[in-house]
Amino acid sequence: SAELSDGIKAVENILNSFQTTIILQREILALASDANDEGTNALMSDYIREQEKLVWMYSAFLKK
């Protein structure tokens, strides 16, 4: 597919996927917080932090 061979388009798709995933993870984070589930809360927080860092790096790449 043309999209698979277009690096910029691939990075844009990755960013869109991360943004969708982070929204869902924030919902899980809120539910875990309401349920006083510290394990899930910590896990989601770690995932979100790492993925937000990747979003920042991919976004910086696209701006070059």
Side-chain angles (χ1 to χ4, degrees), residues 3-4 6-19 62:
E3 286 189 30
L4 295 177
D6 181 344
I8 298 300
K9 182 67 175 168
V11 172
E12 289 171 349
N13 287 337
I14 290 168
L15 276 172
N16 288 335
S17 296
F18 272 134
Q19 290 165 350
L62 289 176

Side-chain angles (χ1 to χ4, degrees), residues 17-29:
S17 296
F18 272 134
Q19 290 165 350
T20 300
T21 303
I22 290 169
I23 288 168
L24 295 171
Q25 289 172 335
R26 287 189 185 283
E27 291 176 14
I28 295 169
L29 183 66

Side-chain angles (χ1 to χ4, degrees), residues 1 18 20 25 28 31 34-35 37 41 43 55 57 62-63:
S1 154
F18 272 134
T20 300
Q25 289 172 335
I28 295 169
L31 291 170
D34 291 346
D37 181 349
N41 194 317
L43 185 64
V55 166
M57 288 190 291
L62 289 176
K63 289 178 183 171

